[in-house]
Amino acid sequence: MNLIFDTNLALDYHSNTQKIRIMSENWVVDNVYCVRCGSKLNHFENNKPVGDMFCENCKEEFELKSNKAKLGKKIVDGAYSTMIEKIENDDIPNFFYLNYSIMDYKVKNLLIIPKHYFTKEIIIKRPPLSETARRAGWIGCNIDVSSIPKSGMLYIIKNGQEENKNMVIKNYNKMLFLRKSKGELRGWLLDILKCIESLDKKEFTLNEIYSFEKFLKLKHPNNNNIQAKIRQQLQILRDYGYLSFTNRGEYRLL
């Protein structure tokens, strides 16, 4: 995989933002594969609101965010209302986040956040633009990536090295069951996944997950029976083949 942007593509552009957009989008289409089926990606027509590129084979859609900075705890995105509407309509694309070197226009990191890891809770509203701004009153948003489980942060390139393509595709597809859950139920599943991952072990007990009860209560203040909800989510994750019951109150990741 060639990790260098084609700077010739940006010769006719004056804005640095436009230059990076043109170079990075073309680099992805020329070098990166669909993480669901492995096929080649294609450009959408300009200014299509859904995303930047798509897979003609499996119809997955992708949006690209490029930045010279490594991924932090948030991604600055577009209009808040648009993002919320996309999530409610299940119309949000997968998100590529590309980190490049400004010195040589070389790709350093590329990861994907699958669309099934997005909930309304991770979309943070920004303050409206001031009355003196060109788009006075416009409200943007940030994506709180710190709330996304590690399984939802799939690296394709990490520290300048390409990850195994087959493993990336496998890891993407094994979590597709999350798409069957919507709204609050998906939020619960993602929160339980985050708790399981924080234990950092292949085998764990129900009591260890119960230790996150206060954290889960803060995220779901209207639920008055957190432990029952935890058990329900663990049962769902077992049904989807993410984990197995090994004994009473004991689990193993598959």
Side-chain angles (χ1 to χ4, degrees), residues 33-41 55-60 62 165-166 169-170 172-173 176:
Y33 49 87
C34 171
V35 292
R36 182 167 185 177
C37 71
S39 299
K40 179 177 170 52
L41 298 177
C55 174
E56 206 166 59
N57 180 52
C58 69
K59 311 306 179 186
E60 287 292 310
F62 303 86
K165 177 179 177 179
N166 291 334
I169 294 172
K170 178 182 178 181
Y172 179 90
N173 281 287
L176 281 177

Side-chain angles (χ1 to χ4, degrees), residues 38-253:
S39 299
K40 179 177 170 52
L41 298 177
N42 297 278
H43 284 288
F44 271 125
E45 59 191 61
N46 289 337
N47 300 319
K48 183 176 175 62
V50 176
D52 298 315
M53 53 206 70
F54 69 101
C55 174
E56 206 166 59
N57 180 52
C58 69
K59 311 306 179 186
E60 287 292 310
E61 298 176 350
F62 303 86
E63 184 172 327
L64 174 64
K65 298 291 182 184
S66 301
N67 203 307
K68 61 185 178 182
K70 282 189 175 182
L71 182 66
K73 293 184 178 181
K74 65 180 182 181
I75 297 175
V76 178
D77 201 61
Y80 174 79
S81 59
T82 301
M83 281 293 290
I84 295 299
E85 182 180 357
K86 285 181 180 181
I87 291 174
E88 289 178 341
N89 295 332
D90 200 25
D91 193 32
I92 195 163
N94 300 281
F95 267 66
F96 282 127
Y97 187 86
L98 188 154
N99 161 228
Y100 62 91
S101 167
I102 195 66
M103 300 298 293
D104 54 10
Y105 294 113
K106 184 176 182 179
V107 177
K108 298 166 68 176
N109 296 284
L110 176 69
L111 62 83
I112 185 164
I113 304 174
K115 62 178 291 182
H116 37 280
Y117 282 84
F118 280 83
T119 62
K120 290 191 291 185
E121 287 71 28
I122 70 170
I123 309 302
I124 311 302
K125 184 186 294 186
R126 298 204 306 268
L129 295 183
S130 67
E131 294 182 1
T132 57
R134 184 169 58 86
R135 292 187 294 171
W138 183 83
I139 300 174
C141 70
N142 295 325
I143 302 170
D144 177 16
V145 295
S146 67
S147 296
I148 298 175
K150 293 178 183 178
S151 56
M153 312 285 280
L154 296 177
Y155 276 91
I156 297 171
I157 297 168
K158 189 171 186 179
N159 297 325
Q161 298 295 318
E162 183 179 359
E163 298 289 302
N164 181 275
K165 177 179 177 179
N166 291 334
M167 187 59 66
V168 172
I169 294 172
K170 178 182 178 181
N171 287 335
Y172 179 90
N173 281 287
K174 76 178 183 181
M175 303 304 290
L176 281 177
F177 67 82
L178 289 169
R179 294 192 184 181
K180 298 177 182 179
S181 304
K182 309 295 182 183
E184 185 181 5
L185 178 55
R186 182 184 293 180
W188 264 104
L189 281 174
L190 292 174
D191 288 339
I192 296 299
L193 286 174
K194 185 88 171 171
C195 295
I196 292 172
E197 286 181 357
S198 68
L199 293 174
D200 195 26
K201 52 201 303 189
K202 289 282 291 183
E203 298 184 357
F204 60 93
T205 67
L206 182 59
N207 284 334
E208 286 178 305
I209 301 299
Y210 280 166
S211 70
F212 296 98
E213 187 172 357
K214 289 183 178 179
F215 162 77
L216 293 167
K217 182 63 176 178
L218 287 173
K219 299 206 70 175
H220 304 274
N222 295 326
N223 190 294
N224 295 316
N225 199 342
I226 298 295
Q227 291 192 0
K229 198 68 176 179
I230 289 173
R231 294 193 299 272
Q232 179 191 59
Q233 303 313 301
L234 292 173
Q235 177 67 53
I236 292 173
L237 290 173
R238 189 191 80 159
D239 293 344
Y240 283 133
Y242 181 80
L243 52 79
S244 65
F245 293 170
T246 59
N247 208 336
R248 184 177 178 85
E250 297 178 355
Y251 305 84
R252 177 185 294 122
L253 298 180

